[in-house]
Short mmCIF file of all heavy atoms in Angstrom, two decimals:
data_model
loop_
_atom_site.label_atom_id
_atom_site.label_comp_id
_atom_site.label_asym_id
_atom_site.label_seq_id
_atom_site.Cartn_x
_atom_site.Cartn_y
_atom_site.Cartn_z
N ALA A 170 -14.80 -33.05 -1.68
CA ALA A 170 -15.57 -31.97 -2.30
C ALA A 170 -15.18 -31.92 -3.82
O ALA A 170 -16.06 -31.74 -4.67
CB ALA A 170 -15.24 -30.65 -1.60
N GLY A 171 -13.89 -32.00 -4.11
CA GLY A 171 -13.46 -31.95 -5.48
C GLY A 171 -14.04 -33.15 -6.26
O GLY A 171 -14.47 -32.99 -7.41
N PHE A 172 -14.02 -34.28 -5.59
CA PHE A 172 -14.52 -35.47 -6.22
C PHE A 172 -16.04 -35.32 -6.52
O PHE A 172 -16.47 -35.61 -7.64
CB PHE A 172 -14.32 -36.64 -5.24
CG PHE A 172 -14.56 -38.01 -5.84
CD1 PHE A 172 -13.46 -38.74 -6.38
CD2 PHE A 172 -15.80 -38.55 -5.89
CE1 PHE A 172 -13.63 -39.97 -6.92
CE2 PHE A 172 -16.01 -39.83 -6.45
CZ PHE A 172 -14.92 -40.52 -7.00
N ARG A 173 -16.74 -34.83 -5.52
CA ARG A 173 -18.20 -34.67 -5.69
C ARG A 173 -18.54 -33.72 -6.85
O ARG A 173 -19.42 -33.93 -7.65
CB ARG A 173 -18.81 -34.08 -4.39
CG ARG A 173 -20.28 -34.00 -4.42
CD ARG A 173 -20.95 -35.34 -4.31
NE ARG A 173 -22.38 -35.33 -4.57
CZ ARG A 173 -22.88 -35.45 -5.83
NH1 ARG A 173 -22.10 -35.48 -6.85
NH2 ARG A 173 -24.20 -35.49 -5.99
N ALA A 174 -17.81 -32.63 -6.90
CA ALA A 174 -18.04 -31.58 -7.97
C ALA A 174 -17.85 -32.26 -9.32
O ALA A 174 -18.74 -32.13 -10.23
CB ALA A 174 -17.11 -30.44 -7.78
N CYS A 175 -16.76 -32.96 -9.44
CA CYS A 175 -16.44 -33.55 -10.76
C CYS A 175 -17.46 -34.65 -11.10
O CYS A 175 -17.87 -34.80 -12.26
CB CYS A 175 -15.01 -34.12 -10.71
SG CYS A 175 -14.36 -34.50 -12.31
N THR A 176 -17.85 -35.41 -10.12
CA THR A 176 -18.80 -36.50 -10.32
C THR A 176 -20.12 -35.96 -10.86
O THR A 176 -20.79 -36.56 -11.70
CB THR A 176 -19.01 -37.24 -8.99
OG1 THR A 176 -17.77 -37.80 -8.56
CG2 THR A 176 -20.05 -38.34 -9.19
N HIS A 177 -20.52 -34.77 -10.33
CA HIS A 177 -21.77 -34.20 -10.80
C HIS A 177 -21.69 -33.99 -12.32
O HIS A 177 -22.66 -34.32 -13.07
CB HIS A 177 -21.98 -32.81 -10.10
CG HIS A 177 -23.10 -32.02 -10.68
ND1 HIS A 177 -24.41 -32.46 -10.70
CD2 HIS A 177 -23.10 -30.79 -11.22
CE1 HIS A 177 -25.16 -31.52 -11.29
NE2 HIS A 177 -24.40 -30.51 -11.60
N LEU A 178 -20.57 -33.47 -12.79
CA LEU A 178 -20.40 -33.29 -14.20
C LEU A 178 -20.44 -34.59 -14.99
O LEU A 178 -21.08 -34.65 -16.07
CB LEU A 178 -19.05 -32.55 -14.45
CG LEU A 178 -19.00 -31.01 -14.59
CD1 LEU A 178 -20.24 -30.31 -14.04
CD2 LEU A 178 -17.76 -30.44 -13.96
N ILE A 179 -19.71 -35.55 -14.42
CA ILE A 179 -19.68 -36.85 -15.11
C ILE A 179 -21.08 -37.46 -15.18
O ILE A 179 -21.51 -38.01 -16.21
CB ILE A 179 -18.74 -37.81 -14.35
CG1 ILE A 179 -17.31 -37.26 -14.41
CG2 ILE A 179 -18.78 -39.21 -14.90
CD1 ILE A 179 -16.30 -38.00 -13.51
N ASP A 180 -21.80 -37.36 -14.06
CA ASP A 180 -23.19 -37.88 -14.01
C ASP A 180 -24.09 -37.25 -15.03
O ASP A 180 -25.01 -37.88 -15.54
CB ASP A 180 -23.80 -37.69 -12.61
CG ASP A 180 -23.10 -38.60 -11.59
OD1 ASP A 180 -22.36 -39.51 -11.97
OD2 ASP A 180 -23.36 -38.41 -10.36
N LEU A 181 -23.81 -36.01 -15.34
CA LEU A 181 -24.64 -35.32 -16.33
C LEU A 181 -24.35 -35.75 -17.71
O LEU A 181 -25.04 -35.49 -18.67
CB LEU A 181 -24.43 -33.78 -16.26
CG LEU A 181 -25.07 -33.05 -15.09
CD1 LEU A 181 -24.57 -31.60 -15.04
CD2 LEU A 181 -26.56 -33.10 -15.26
N GLY A 182 -23.20 -36.51 -17.86
CA GLY A 182 -22.89 -37.08 -19.14
C GLY A 182 -21.66 -36.45 -19.80
O GLY A 182 -21.28 -36.81 -20.90
N HIS A 183 -21.03 -35.59 -19.08
CA HIS A 183 -19.84 -34.94 -19.69
C HIS A 183 -18.67 -35.91 -19.75
O HIS A 183 -18.50 -36.75 -18.87
CB HIS A 183 -19.46 -33.69 -18.87
CG HIS A 183 -20.42 -32.58 -18.99
ND1 HIS A 183 -20.38 -31.74 -20.07
CD2 HIS A 183 -21.42 -32.16 -18.22
CE1 HIS A 183 -21.38 -30.86 -19.93
NE2 HIS A 183 -22.04 -31.09 -18.81
N ARG A 184 -17.93 -35.81 -20.79
CA ARG A 184 -16.77 -36.65 -20.97
C ARG A 184 -15.52 -35.79 -21.20
O ARG A 184 -14.38 -36.30 -21.13
CB ARG A 184 -16.98 -37.58 -22.24
CG ARG A 184 -18.05 -38.61 -22.04
CD ARG A 184 -17.64 -39.64 -21.00
NE ARG A 184 -18.73 -40.52 -20.57
CZ ARG A 184 -19.49 -40.30 -19.52
NH1 ARG A 184 -19.34 -39.22 -18.75
NH2 ARG A 184 -20.48 -41.13 -19.14
N ARG A 185 -15.71 -34.56 -21.52
CA ARG A 185 -14.57 -33.72 -21.78
C ARG A 185 -14.63 -32.60 -20.68
O ARG A 185 -15.38 -31.62 -20.79
CB ARG A 185 -14.73 -33.01 -23.16
CG ARG A 185 -14.82 -34.03 -24.27
CD ARG A 185 -15.46 -33.41 -25.55
NE ARG A 185 -14.77 -32.19 -25.98
CZ ARG A 185 -13.70 -32.20 -26.78
NH1 ARG A 185 -13.23 -33.37 -27.21
NH2 ARG A 185 -13.13 -31.10 -27.11
N ILE A 186 -13.88 -32.86 -19.62
CA ILE A 186 -13.98 -32.01 -18.43
C ILE A 186 -12.62 -31.36 -18.10
O ILE A 186 -11.62 -32.02 -17.99
CB ILE A 186 -14.45 -32.81 -17.19
CG1 ILE A 186 -15.87 -33.39 -17.54
CG2 ILE A 186 -14.47 -31.98 -15.93
CD1 ILE A 186 -16.39 -34.30 -16.46
N GLY A 187 -12.68 -30.04 -17.94
CA GLY A 187 -11.46 -29.28 -17.64
C GLY A 187 -11.39 -28.98 -16.16
O GLY A 187 -12.35 -29.21 -15.41
N LEU A 188 -10.24 -28.54 -15.73
CA LEU A 188 -10.04 -28.31 -14.31
C LEU A 188 -9.28 -26.98 -14.06
O LEU A 188 -8.18 -26.82 -14.44
CB LEU A 188 -9.22 -29.49 -13.74
CG LEU A 188 -8.85 -29.47 -12.24
CD1 LEU A 188 -10.04 -29.31 -11.38
CD2 LEU A 188 -8.11 -30.76 -11.92
N LEU A 189 -9.99 -26.04 -13.42
CA LEU A 189 -9.34 -24.78 -13.10
C LEU A 189 -9.14 -24.75 -11.59
O LEU A 189 -10.12 -24.65 -10.81
CB LEU A 189 -10.23 -23.59 -13.48
CG LEU A 189 -10.80 -23.52 -14.89
CD1 LEU A 189 -11.14 -22.08 -15.24
CD2 LEU A 189 -9.80 -24.05 -15.92
N GLY A 190 -7.89 -24.81 -11.15
CA GLY A 190 -7.60 -24.91 -9.74
C GLY A 190 -6.83 -23.76 -9.18
O GLY A 190 -6.03 -23.16 -9.86
N ALA A 191 -7.06 -23.39 -7.95
CA ALA A 191 -6.26 -22.37 -7.27
C ALA A 191 -4.85 -22.92 -7.13
O ALA A 191 -4.62 -24.14 -7.17
CB ALA A 191 -6.84 -22.07 -5.93
N ARG A 192 -3.90 -22.05 -6.92
CA ARG A 192 -2.50 -22.47 -6.73
C ARG A 192 -2.43 -23.47 -5.60
O ARG A 192 -3.02 -23.31 -4.53
CB ARG A 192 -1.65 -21.26 -6.38
CG ARG A 192 -1.58 -20.25 -7.46
CD ARG A 192 -0.10 -19.94 -7.85
NE ARG A 192 -0.08 -19.17 -9.07
CZ ARG A 192 -0.36 -17.87 -9.14
NH1 ARG A 192 -0.64 -17.21 -8.05
NH2 ARG A 192 -0.38 -17.22 -10.29
N THR A 193 -1.72 -24.55 -5.83
CA THR A 193 -1.71 -25.62 -4.83
C THR A 193 -0.46 -25.53 -3.89
O THR A 193 -0.41 -26.27 -2.91
CB THR A 193 -1.70 -27.02 -5.46
OG1 THR A 193 -0.65 -27.05 -6.44
CG2 THR A 193 -3.05 -27.22 -6.23
N GLY A 194 0.48 -24.72 -4.21
CA GLY A 194 1.64 -24.62 -3.42
C GLY A 194 1.24 -24.09 -2.02
O GLY A 194 0.51 -23.11 -1.95
N ASN A 195 1.69 -24.78 -0.99
CA ASN A 195 1.37 -24.29 0.34
C ASN A 195 -0.13 -24.20 0.60
O ASN A 195 -0.54 -23.36 1.41
CB ASN A 195 2.01 -22.90 0.48
CG ASN A 195 2.72 -22.78 1.78
OD1 ASN A 195 2.14 -22.37 2.79
ND2 ASN A 195 3.98 -23.23 1.76
N ASN A 196 -0.88 -25.00 -0.06
CA ASN A 196 -2.33 -24.85 0.14
C ASN A 196 -2.92 -26.26 0.05
O ASN A 196 -3.32 -26.71 -1.05
CB ASN A 196 -2.91 -23.95 -0.94
CG ASN A 196 -4.38 -23.70 -0.77
OD1 ASN A 196 -5.07 -24.54 -0.13
ND2 ASN A 196 -4.90 -22.61 -1.26
N ASP A 197 -3.07 -26.93 1.15
CA ASP A 197 -3.60 -28.27 1.16
C ASP A 197 -5.06 -28.34 0.71
O ASP A 197 -5.51 -29.36 0.21
CB ASP A 197 -3.44 -28.91 2.53
CG ASP A 197 -4.12 -28.09 3.63
OD1 ASP A 197 -4.30 -26.85 3.43
OD2 ASP A 197 -4.38 -28.65 4.66
N ARG A 198 -5.81 -27.26 0.88
CA ARG A 198 -7.19 -27.31 0.50
C ARG A 198 -7.35 -27.35 -1.00
O ARG A 198 -8.03 -28.21 -1.57
CB ARG A 198 -7.96 -26.03 0.98
CG ARG A 198 -8.12 -26.04 2.50
CD ARG A 198 -7.73 -24.73 3.12
NE ARG A 198 -6.28 -24.63 3.17
CZ ARG A 198 -5.56 -23.49 2.99
NH1 ARG A 198 -6.19 -22.38 2.71
NH2 ARG A 198 -4.23 -23.55 3.08
N ALA A 199 -6.59 -26.49 -1.69
CA ALA A 199 -6.65 -26.49 -3.12
C ALA A 199 -6.15 -27.84 -3.68
O ALA A 199 -6.73 -28.43 -4.58
CB ALA A 199 -5.76 -25.37 -3.69
N ARG A 200 -5.08 -28.32 -3.04
CA ARG A 200 -4.51 -29.57 -3.50
C ARG A 200 -5.51 -30.73 -3.34
O ARG A 200 -5.65 -31.53 -4.27
CB ARG A 200 -3.25 -29.91 -2.67
CG ARG A 200 -2.14 -30.48 -3.49
CD ARG A 200 -0.76 -30.28 -2.85
NE ARG A 200 -0.79 -30.50 -1.44
CZ ARG A 200 -0.29 -29.65 -0.56
NH1 ARG A 200 0.35 -28.55 -0.95
NH2 ARG A 200 -0.30 -29.91 0.71
N GLY A 201 -6.19 -30.76 -2.24
CA GLY A 201 -7.14 -31.82 -1.99
C GLY A 201 -8.24 -31.73 -3.06
O GLY A 201 -8.65 -32.80 -3.60
N ARG A 202 -8.74 -30.57 -3.32
CA ARG A 202 -9.87 -30.46 -4.32
C ARG A 202 -9.43 -30.89 -5.69
O ARG A 202 -10.14 -31.60 -6.40
CB ARG A 202 -10.34 -28.99 -4.35
CG ARG A 202 -11.00 -28.63 -3.03
CD ARG A 202 -11.39 -27.16 -3.04
NE ARG A 202 -11.79 -26.73 -1.70
CZ ARG A 202 -12.20 -25.53 -1.33
NH1 ARG A 202 -12.29 -24.61 -2.27
NH2 ARG A 202 -12.56 -25.26 -0.12
N VAL A 203 -8.22 -30.48 -6.08
CA VAL A 203 -7.70 -30.80 -7.38
C VAL A 203 -7.55 -32.34 -7.47
O VAL A 203 -8.01 -32.96 -8.46
CB VAL A 203 -6.35 -30.12 -7.66
CG1 VAL A 203 -5.60 -30.81 -8.84
CG2 VAL A 203 -6.57 -28.64 -7.92
N ARG A 204 -6.96 -32.92 -6.47
CA ARG A 204 -6.78 -34.36 -6.50
C ARG A 204 -8.10 -35.13 -6.51
O ARG A 204 -8.29 -36.11 -7.26
CB ARG A 204 -5.98 -34.83 -5.27
CG ARG A 204 -4.47 -34.77 -5.47
CD ARG A 204 -3.73 -35.76 -4.59
NE ARG A 204 -4.37 -35.74 -3.22
CZ ARG A 204 -3.86 -35.07 -2.23
NH1 ARG A 204 -2.71 -34.43 -2.35
NH2 ARG A 204 -4.46 -35.13 -1.06
N GLY A 205 -9.07 -34.58 -5.78
CA GLY A 205 -10.38 -35.22 -5.77
C GLY A 205 -11.01 -35.21 -7.16
O GLY A 205 -11.53 -36.24 -7.63
N ALA A 206 -10.92 -34.07 -7.82
CA ALA A 206 -11.48 -34.00 -9.17
C ALA A 206 -10.79 -34.98 -10.13
O ALA A 206 -11.41 -35.69 -10.88
CB ALA A 206 -11.36 -32.56 -9.69
N LYS A 207 -9.45 -34.99 -10.00
CA LYS A 207 -8.66 -35.88 -10.87
C LYS A 207 -9.01 -37.34 -10.62
O LYS A 207 -9.09 -38.18 -11.54
CB LYS A 207 -7.16 -35.63 -10.65
CG LYS A 207 -6.65 -34.36 -11.28
CD LYS A 207 -5.18 -34.18 -11.13
CE LYS A 207 -4.66 -32.96 -11.87
NZ LYS A 207 -3.27 -32.61 -11.62
N ASP A 208 -9.19 -37.67 -9.33
CA ASP A 208 -9.50 -39.06 -8.98
C ASP A 208 -10.87 -39.45 -9.58
O ASP A 208 -11.08 -40.57 -10.01
CB ASP A 208 -9.52 -39.23 -7.46
CG ASP A 208 -8.07 -39.25 -6.93
OD1 ASP A 208 -7.15 -39.34 -7.72
OD2 ASP A 208 -7.93 -39.24 -5.69
N ALA A 209 -11.82 -38.48 -9.58
CA ALA A 209 -13.13 -38.77 -10.14
C ALA A 209 -12.97 -39.05 -11.63
O ALA A 209 -13.60 -40.03 -12.14
CB ALA A 209 -14.06 -37.61 -9.86
N LEU A 210 -12.21 -38.26 -12.26
CA LEU A 210 -11.98 -38.41 -13.70
C LEU A 210 -11.36 -39.77 -13.96
O LEU A 210 -11.82 -40.56 -14.81
CB LEU A 210 -11.06 -37.33 -14.20
CG LEU A 210 -11.54 -36.13 -15.03
CD1 LEU A 210 -13.03 -35.97 -14.93
CD2 LEU A 210 -10.83 -34.83 -14.67
N ALA A 211 -10.32 -40.05 -13.25
CA ALA A 211 -9.56 -41.30 -13.45
C ALA A 211 -10.54 -42.50 -13.19
O ALA A 211 -10.55 -43.46 -13.95
CB ALA A 211 -8.39 -41.36 -12.51
N GLY A 212 -11.32 -42.34 -12.13
CA GLY A 212 -12.23 -43.43 -11.76
C GLY A 212 -13.24 -43.69 -12.90
O GLY A 212 -13.74 -44.80 -13.08
N ALA A 213 -13.53 -42.64 -13.65
CA ALA A 213 -14.52 -42.77 -14.72
C ALA A 213 -13.84 -43.13 -16.03
O ALA A 213 -14.47 -43.18 -17.12
CB ALA A 213 -15.39 -41.55 -14.88
N GLY A 214 -12.50 -43.24 -15.96
CA GLY A 214 -11.75 -43.57 -17.12
C GLY A 214 -11.67 -42.43 -18.13
O GLY A 214 -11.52 -42.63 -19.33
N LEU A 215 -11.87 -41.24 -17.62
CA LEU A 215 -11.80 -40.07 -18.53
C LEU A 215 -10.44 -39.42 -18.52
O LEU A 215 -9.74 -39.35 -17.50
CB LEU A 215 -12.87 -39.00 -18.07
CG LEU A 215 -14.26 -39.50 -18.15
CD1 LEU A 215 -15.27 -38.46 -17.62
CD2 LEU A 215 -14.67 -39.90 -19.58
N PRO A 216 -9.97 -38.97 -19.66
CA PRO A 216 -8.63 -38.38 -19.83
C PRO A 216 -8.69 -36.93 -19.30
O PRO A 216 -9.75 -36.31 -19.27
CB PRO A 216 -8.38 -38.40 -21.29
CG PRO A 216 -9.79 -38.25 -21.88
CD PRO A 216 -10.70 -39.04 -20.98
N LEU A 217 -7.53 -36.40 -18.91
CA LEU A 217 -7.47 -35.01 -18.56
C LEU A 217 -6.23 -34.41 -19.20
O LEU A 217 -5.15 -34.37 -18.63
CB LEU A 217 -7.38 -34.83 -17.03
CG LEU A 217 -7.22 -33.38 -16.53
CD1 LEU A 217 -8.46 -32.57 -16.95
CD2 LEU A 217 -7.09 -33.34 -15.03
N PRO A 218 -6.38 -34.00 -20.46
CA PRO A 218 -5.26 -33.45 -21.20
C PRO A 218 -4.67 -32.25 -20.49
O PRO A 218 -5.36 -31.44 -19.86
CB PRO A 218 -5.87 -33.03 -22.56
CG PRO A 218 -7.32 -33.38 -22.50
CD PRO A 218 -7.68 -33.97 -21.21
N GLU A 219 -3.36 -32.19 -20.57
CA GLU A 219 -2.56 -31.10 -20.02
C GLU A 219 -3.24 -29.67 -20.23
O GLU A 219 -3.30 -28.87 -19.32
CB GLU A 219 -1.18 -31.10 -20.63
CG GLU A 219 -0.18 -30.30 -19.87
CD GLU A 219 0.13 -30.88 -18.54
OE1 GLU A 219 -0.09 -32.12 -18.36
OE2 GLU A 219 0.58 -30.13 -17.65
N HIS A 220 -3.65 -29.46 -21.46
CA HIS A 220 -4.14 -28.12 -21.79
C HIS A 220 -5.58 -27.86 -21.28
O HIS A 220 -6.16 -26.87 -21.61
CB HIS A 220 -4.03 -27.88 -23.30
CG HIS A 220 -4.75 -28.90 -24.12
ND1 HIS A 220 -4.27 -30.21 -24.24
CD2 HIS A 220 -5.84 -28.84 -24.81
CE1 HIS A 220 -5.10 -30.90 -24.98
NE2 HIS A 220 -6.11 -30.08 -25.36
#
Side-chain angles (χ1 to χ4, degrees):
Chain A
F172 193 94
R173 184 75 192 84
C175 195
T176 299
H177 170 60
L178 264 18
I179 295 171
D180 289 348
L181 283 172
H183 289 280
R184 290 294 168 266
R185 306 159 53 85
I186 300 176
L188 177 56
L189 310 202
R192 296 234 168 78
T193 54
N195 228 268
N196 183 336
D197 56 338
R198 289 131 285 145
R200 219 157 42 229
R202 294 175 190 181
V203 164
R204 274 207 317 261
K207 285 183 175 172
D208 286 350
L210 253 18
L215 298 176
L217 178 60
E219 194 68 24
H220 56 289

